[in-house]
Amino acid sequence: MSDVGQVQPVSEFDTETAVRARPGDDGVFDADLGEGWRIGAGVNGGVTLALAARALRERLGPQQPDPLAISGYYLTPTAPGPAIVRTQVARRGRAVSVGEASLQQTGPDGLEVERMRVLATYGDLAGIDGDARTTASPPQLPPPDQCISSSDAPPDFLKAATLLDRLDLRLDPATTGWAVGKPSGNGVIRGWLRFADGREPDVLSLLLAVDALPPVAFELGLPGWTPTLELTVQVRSRPAPGWLRVALSSRTMSGGYLEEDAEVWDSRDRLVAISRQLARAASVRPPA
Amino acid sequence: MSDVGQVQPVSEFDTETAVRARPGDDGVFDADLGEGWRIGAGVNGGVTLALAARALRERLGPQQPDPLAISGYYLTPTAPGPAIVRTQVARRGRAVSVGEASLQQTGPDGLEVERMRVLATYGDLAGIDGDARTTASPPQLPPPDQCISSSDAPPDFLKAATLLDRLDLRLDPATTGWAVGKPSGNGVIRGWLRFADGREPDVLSLLLAVDALPPVAFELGLPGWTPTLELTVQVRSRPAPGWLRVALSSRTMSGGYLEEDAEVWDSRDRLVAISRQLARAASVRPPA
C-alpha cells in the first residue's frame, strides 16, 4: 500500500511472530517475544506454535506456505524476550514437504534452553475450498454482542493474561459457568474470536485461535493451570475475513491428563482448522 | 515363565517391532520389518509408529515407559526389510520426558532414506485408572460372531494386505457398505480387534490398533489409497486383556485432505487411546 501513500497497519500478531533469518546460518531465525501474549509467566503456546510455523514457512518456501498438520511438543515454558528458531527440512515433495523446528531461549546462566519442538507437513491451500465436504456443523452461539467479552474479566485476571488485551473474545454465556463458580461439567466452551487491532485471520493466526480461549478444563470444574504437553493442528482452508468461531471440547480425563479438541469456523461457515492437545491438570500431578 | 519350564509364546507383533541397541552408538537401534505387516507395498503406519515407540521407550528408560502423546510424520513408504531408528532425548522431566525418533532404511543406491519422524511425550500410566472421568461412551456394535471377519475378504485383498493375517478383525456390518459398493457416506467404521496369535493388547499395540482398520475414507465413498501424512495418538490407560473395540470417524474433507479419528476401548469399557490422522485421498491430489 505504500505506493499510494497509505500507512501500512502494524499487526501486533505479525510483529510478535516475526522471524529474521540469521545471515550465514542456514535455517536459523531470530525472534523477539513480547510481554503482550502471556498467560501467567509464559507466552501462550498457540503464539509460540505460530512463531515456529512462520520460521518453517520461510524455510520451506513460498510454493508450500500452509501447515496442513503441525505438532508442537512443549518442553519448558517460553518467557517473553529473545528466542531462536532452528529449522530443518525433513523431506521435500511435490505436493507436500515436512520440516522440523526447535524454539530455544538463553537461560539466566547463558545456556540455551529448548522451549518446544515442532514437526509439520506443509502444502498449498490456495484455491482448494471448492471440493470440501463435511458432516460437521458450525457451533451455535448467540451473536457477539450477546456474549461475554473477555475484557469484562476481573482486572487481576487480565493482568495475568496479557494475551486477552490483543484479542476480542466473546464467550457464549452458556459455557461460562466456571467464571461464577458453577462449571457445567459438560467440557465445552464456545466463543467468537478476532484480533483486537482489526487484523484479519489467516492460516498462521489459526494456530493461535485453537489455544486462545480459557482452558476447557475450567468448565470441567478444574480451575487450575492446565499446561499443554502437545498440540497438533490440522489447517483445512485459508479463513475468510471476519469473526472466527471456536468450539472447545473435552471428553476424557484420566490420571490427570485430558485432551482439548478445538474446531475453528470462519465467517463463511467453513471448518478451517481442527486441533487436539494433551494437557495436564496440575492439581492432579505436579509439573515435571 | 521360563522358570516354570513353560515355553514363552512368541508374539508376531513383538518380533516385528523388536529393536536392538547398536553397541557403542548411543540411541541407535536396529530393526527388521517383515513381510507380514504390509498394506500394499508398504509396512502399516501403525506398526512403524509402534516400532519407533519401542525404541523411544528403550531410550527414555523404564520409569516413563508409556507414550502419553506420540506424533508420526510420514515421509516415504516403509518397505519390509532392515531399518534403523535413531533416537534423541529432547527433555527429561520428573513426570514426563520428550523424545524424538527417526526411522530410516537404506535405499537401492546404498543411501539412507528417512521413512518417518516422530515426537513423543512419555510418562507412567501404571495405576492411574482410578480417577478417570469421561462423557464418552463405548461404540455399540454386534458381538464379534455377528460381525464381518477380515478373513472373509477377497483373496486378492488379503494378499495385498498381509497385515490382516496377523489380526482378528470383526467389522460391524452396519459400517461395511463400502465392501459391496454401497458406502454409507457417514464416515464411520467400527470393529472388534485382537491379535490372531492371542497376544494381549498393551500400550504399544494400541499404536497399531488406531491404524489397523480399513480407511474410514472407504465409507465416505473414496475407494482409493489414502496415505497417512501425520498420525498422533494419545494413550490414556494400559488396556485390559481381551478384545479391543475401535471406532473410526471422519467429518471433513477439503482439497483432498481428510482426518481420520480413532477411539480404542478395552474390555473393561475404558477409552484407552484416541488418535487423529491427516490422510490424503489420492484420487484428488497425486502423491508428493
Side-chain angles (χ1 to χ4, degrees):
Chain A
M1 299 277 189
S2 55
D3 58 334
V4 291
Q6 291 183 322
V7 175
Q8 187 82 11
V10 175
S11 144
E12 295 176 306
F13 175 74
D14 292 320
T15 304
E16 179 70 357
T17 60
V19 294
R20 302 178 304 280
R22 198 177 270 195
D25 205 349
D26 217 26
V28 181
F29 299 86
D30 286 295
D32 277 295
L33 289 154
E35 282 286 339
W37 301 85
R38 278 189 296 108
I39 291 286
V43 177
N44 171 269
V47 171
T48 58
L49 190 64
L51 175 68
R54 198 183 290 278
L56 281 170
R57 171 187 279 179
E58 292 293 315
R59 180 67 185 264
L60 294 169
Q63 303 302 312
Q64 294 161 344
D66 300 309
L68 306 180
I70 183 165
S71 299
Y73 278 72
Y74 295 84
L75 309 178
T76 54
T78 300
I84 300 168
V85 187
R86 299 181 194 280
T87 62
Q88 258 183 60
V89 180
R91 174 169 188 267
R92 285 201 183 274
R94 268 191 301 139
V96 299
S97 292
V98 178
E100 177 167 346
S102 166
L103 178 67
Q104 298 168 330
Q105 293 187 304
T106 303
D109 55 4
L111 296 177
E112 275 191 6
V113 183
E114 188 169 4
R115 301 304 190 198
M116 72 183 305
R117 203 174 284 202
V118 175
L119 285 174
T121 299
Y122 276 61
D124 186 358
L125 291 172
I128 65 159
D129 62 353
D131 67 345
R133 55 186 191 181
T134 184
T135 58
S137 54
Q140 298 300 309
L141 65 174
D145 61 2
Q146 292 170 33
C147 285
I148 297 176
S149 171
S150 53
S151 61
D152 294 333
D156 280 0
F157 190 83
L158 289 175
K159 198 171 164 188
T162 59
L163 172 77
L164 293 177
D165 292 336
R166 314 270 93 73
L167 302 174
D168 185 357
L169 172 62
R170 316 283 181 97
L171 296 177
D172 182 343
T175 66
T176 57
W178 53 271
V180 290
K182 292 180 184 167
S184 68
N186 294 332
V188 173
I189 294 183
R190 289 183 295 265
W192 300 89
L193 181 69
R194 62 183 179 187
F195 284 110
D197 66 5
R199 181 197 188 276
E200 294 294 353
D202 66 0
V203 162
L204 290 185
S205 76
L206 297 178
L207 306 182
L208 164 62
V210 300
D211 197 41
L213 271 60
V216 72
F218 285 2
E219 199 60 356
L220 287 170
L222 300 165
W225 187 51
T226 52
T228 303
L229 299 177
E230 174 266 333
L231 167 61
T232 297
V233 188
Q234 292 186 12
V235 179
R236 292 305 179 76
S237 298
R238 298 181 180 171
W243 284 102
L244 299 173
R245 281 156 294 171
V246 183
L248 304 185
S249 61
S250 182
R251 297 194 309 163
T252 297
M253 183 177 80
S254 64
Y257 297 101
L258 73 158
E259 87 281 6
E260 178 175 292
D261 288 2
E263 293 180 358
V264 186
W265 295 77
D266 75 359
S267 62
R268 287 175 51 203
D269 276 354
R270 296 180 310 162
L271 180 55
V272 290
I274 57 178
S275 74
R276 173 170 287 166
Q277 65 172 261
L278 179 66
R280 184 164 49 198
S283 52
V284 180
R285 289 213 168 188
Chain B
M1 301 278 188
S2 55
D3 57 334
V4 291
Q6 291 183 322
V7 176
Q8 187 82 14
V10 175
S11 143
E12 296 177 305
F13 175 74
D14 292 317
T15 304
E16 179 70 358
T17 59
V19 295
R20 303 178 302 281
R22 198 176 270 195
D25 206 350
D26 216 28
V28 181
F29 299 85
D30 285 296
D32 278 296
L33 289 155
E35 283 286 339
W37 300 87
R38 278 189 296 107
I39 290 286
V43 177
N44 170 267
V47 171
T48 58
L49 189 63
L51 175 69
R54 198 183 290 279
L56 280 169
R57 173 187 279 180
E58 291 294 315
R59 179 66 186 264
L60 295 169
Q63 303 302 312
Q64 294 162 345
D66 301 308
L68 307 181
I70 183 166
S71 300
Y73 279 72
Y74 295 85
L75 308 177
T76 54
T78 300
I84 299 167
V85 187
R86 299 181 194 281
T87 62
Q88 256 183 60
V89 181
R91 172 167 190 268
R92 283 200 186 276
R94 267 190 303 140
V96 300
S97 291
V98 178
E100 177 166 348
S102 165
L103 177 67
Q104 298 169 329
Q105 293 186 304
T106 303
D109 54 4
L111 296 177
E112 275 191 5
V113 184
E114 188 170 3
R115 300 306 190 198
M116 73 183 304
R117 202 172 286 201
V118 175
L119 285 174
T121 299
Y122 276 60
D124 186 357
L125 291 173
I128 65 158
D129 60 354
D131 67 343
R133 55 185 190 182
T134 184
T135 57
S137 52
Q140 298 301 309
L141 65 175
D145 61 4
Q146 292 171 35
C147 286
I148 296 176
S149 171
S150 53
S151 61
D152 294 334
D156 280 0
F157 189 83
L158 289 175
K159 198 172 163 188
T162 59
L163 171 77
L164 293 178
D165 293 337
R166 314 271 92 72
L167 302 174
D168 186 357
L169 173 61
R170 316 284 180 96
L171 296 176
D172 182 343
T175 66
T176 57
W178 53 271
V180 290
K182 291 179 183 165
S184 68
N186 294 332
V188 173
I189 294 182
R190 290 183 294 265
W192 300 89
L193 181 70
R194 61 182 180 187
F195 283 110
D197 65 6
R199 180 197 189 278
E200 294 294 354
D202 66 0
V203 162
L204 290 184
S205 75
L206 296 178
L207 306 183
L208 164 61
V210 301
D211 197 41
L213 271 60
V216 72
F218 286 2
E219 199 59 357
L220 287 170
L222 301 164
W225 187 53
T226 51
T228 303
L229 298 177
E230 173 266 333
L231 167 61
T232 297
V233 187
Q234 292 186 11
V235 178
R236 292 305 179 77
S237 299
R238 297 180 181 172
W243 284 102
L244 299 173
R245 282 156 294 170
V246 183
L248 303 184
S249 61
S250 182
R251 298 194 310 164
T252 298
M253 183 177 79
S254 64
Y257 296 101
L258 73 159
E259 88 281 6
E260 178 175 292
D261 287 1
E263 292 179 358
V264 186
W265 295 76
D266 76 0
S267 62
R268 287 174 52 202
D269 277 354
R270 295 181 309 162
L271 181 54
V272 290
I274 56 177
S275 74
R276 172 170 287 164
Q277 64 173 261
L278 179 67
R280 185 165 49 197
S283 55
V284 179
R285 290 217 165 185

